[in-house]
Amino acid sequence: MIENKLRVGEPRLCRLVDGNPNTPEAVVMLQDTGDDIETTFPLSGMARSDGPYDRWWSRGARYGDDPDRVKYSYAPPSTMLLYDSGGCVVLVGCRATRGINSLTAGTGVVVADFAVLGAKNLKYDRINGMRTESLAFLKWIRRTAIETNKTVDDMGRAQSVRICFHETRPTSLSHKLNMSMRQLWSSNTVPGGLDVRESLTFQSLVEQPRSWGEHLQLHIGVLDLVSIAAWKNCAFRSVHVSRADDPSKVKGATYDRWNEVVTHALPGEDLTDCDGRFLFFYDDMPKGAVDKWLRLRDDYDRALGYVLRILRSRHTWSIQSAIMSAIALEQLGYLIEIKKNGGEKLNGYGQISFNNALAVVLDDMIVTPFGVEDVNDWKKRCNRVYMGAKHGDRDEPDHLTTLNTLRENLLVLRYWVAQQLGVPGDVLNQNLTWDPLANKWRSS
């Protein structure tokens, strides 16, 4: 049986359903290039330009038979359904990109944001549910649904192993889109043994379909929190979506169908479990902390956005990141001042000085990642690095000073986030020993 998969570099010839009854069924080529999900269409060529899809690549062209561009389609629909012997694939977020035309023939390429494998209708521009999974999630939660009991002899050799699978109930995380956390497990007999797998997924599920953006905002929000806790550019290992009107039917029973999603439109690149090392874990936070993080992320986006851009930039240890970390601290100090302190440290123009912004951030924390005697030294270096980069008449600190100041800036920002979510200071200081940002940069 042919699997319904979209593998990089393996094109599929598919029939197209575009939802327009006036266009004939076409055969197109679908493939994952590794960077994009592309569908290649045959075009009729410049001499004719009368194919049903030719005008999708006619940007700026004028047609005498349709001067107002209302009779024909001039852009692909947002969703398209493709099918072949492997099954159905719904493409979501479609847009025409490059086209190549000669007099007699040509090709045009449509790129999609998402490919939903196994979906069977064109309504997937809005979805009822989304599930995301990452290896880092399971290590961050530090819970398991699998219990292993092993008996050994006097020599320490295993005599028997008993594996128990426990049913786990969903844990509610946020009222937004009924966000919950679910632990799943599976076991399959394989040649020579038993394959046991455990996963943890975050799920949003609502009765009325919502846009992908609404679901993704929550799921990426959780991914961002785990990434900040690990200081790793974490990625989803898998994404699945569901529509209530496209269920799975087995022996007369109806179930939600969770279809696999292929995409290159999501953040992150680290697919590991982060070695189980986090500055703070899920259980270090009180109940409701994930929901609080989603609000914090919105309220302090102008500051936290810089932190996440540094994390996901692939160029963490650069002068640009050092500047962005200082901007994040300045923005954070300003936002704390107006949201919590009534603006006492703002000047007559409603502005805050950089040094005052740093002071406001520190005053909003119970513990910092460095000792009390080091606070003033950090503030001076932070100012020197930021101002030295901004102003041509200032001296720039040496590269080693810049790197260590950036490291400490990021630790301050992460400590602040964790404490806002209720993580005790002693937990942060204890976990700092294994954190990727714990050790100073030193000259070789």
Side-chain angles (χ1 to χ4, degrees), residues 362 367-378 408 429 432:
L362 293 175
V367 297
T368 66
F370 31 70
V372 176
E373 66 280 1
D374 299 320
V375 168
N376 286 333
D377 177 59
W378 168 72
E408 291 172 331
N429 289 336
L432 180 61

Side-chain angles (χ1 to χ4, degrees), residues 42-63:
L43 304 181
S44 58
M46 292 183 290
R48 293 173 53 191
S49 294
D50 58 356
Y53 307 107
D54 288 9
R55 303 188 190 212
W56 291 359
W57 290 271
S58 63
R59 204 176 311 160
R62 295 185 62 84
Y63 292 89

Side-chain angles (χ1 to χ4, degrees), residues 10-217:
E10 297 184 12
R12 294 169 57 173
L13 281 178
C14 302
R15 294 190 177 276
L16 167 72
V17 177
D18 65 358
N20 185 348
N22 297 319
T23 56
E25 195 173 73
V27 175
V28 297
M29 184 177 72
L30 171 67
Q31 68 173 332
D32 183 349
T33 68
D35 296 311
D36 292 302
I37 299 165
E38 295 186 348
T39 306
T40 303
F41 286 71
L43 304 181
S44 58
M46 292 183 290
R48 293 173 53 191
S49 294
D50 58 356
Y53 307 107
D54 288 9
R55 303 188 190 212
W56 291 359
W57 290 271
S58 63
R59 204 176 311 160
R62 295 185 62 84
Y63 292 89
D65 61 347
D66 188 15
D68 296 325
R69 300 169 75 94
V70 294
K71 293 181 181 179
Y72 301 98
S73 171
Y74 291 87
S78 62
T79 59
M80 297 188 295
L81 190 151
L82 282 62
Y83 65 95
D84 62 3
S85 56
C88 296
V89 178
V90 169
L91 303 180
V92 180
C94 301
R95 57 197 181 278
T97 56
R98 62 188 183 279
I100 302 174
N101 248 335
S102 68
L103 282 175
T104 57
T107 57
V109 174
V110 167
V111 170
D113 291 328
F114 308 100
V116 187
L117 307 182
K120 296 183 178 179
N121 69 43
L122 287 167
K123 300 178 183 177
Y124 274 83
D125 57 329
R126 299 176 72 82
I127 51 178
N128 293 90
M130 177 176 286
R131 284 178 177 174
T132 53
E133 179 191 351
S134 169
L135 287 176
F137 290 169
L138 196 59
K139 285 297 180 76
W140 184 61
I141 296 298
R142 292 199 295 190
R143 298 179 188 176
T144 181
I146 302 175
E147 180 183 346
T148 304
N149 295 308
K150 182 168 67 173
T151 59
V152 298
D153 61 16
D154 294 339
M155 301 293 292
R157 294 172 297 194
Q159 299 298 298
S160 66
V161 178
R162 182 169 176 265
I163 301 175
C164 297
F165 302 92
H166 298 286
E167 181 182 2
T168 59
R169 296 184 178 276
T171 301
S172 178
L173 295 175
S174 174
H175 66 282
K176 295 181 179 179
L177 305 189
N178 300 313
M179 187 79 163
S180 64
M181 177 174 66
R182 294 167 172 263
Q183 285 179 263
L184 306 174
W185 56 263
S186 64
S187 64
N188 295 292
T189 302
V190 296
L194 185 69
D195 182 23
V196 178
R197 299 294 175 96
E198 183 176 21
S199 63
L200 184 140
T201 65
F202 288 94
Q203 174 179 296
S204 52
L205 186 63
V206 288
E207 290 186 7
Q208 296 299 320
R210 303 288 186 90
S211 70
W212 285 69
E214 288 180 83
H215 286 275
L216 283 172
Q217 183 179 16

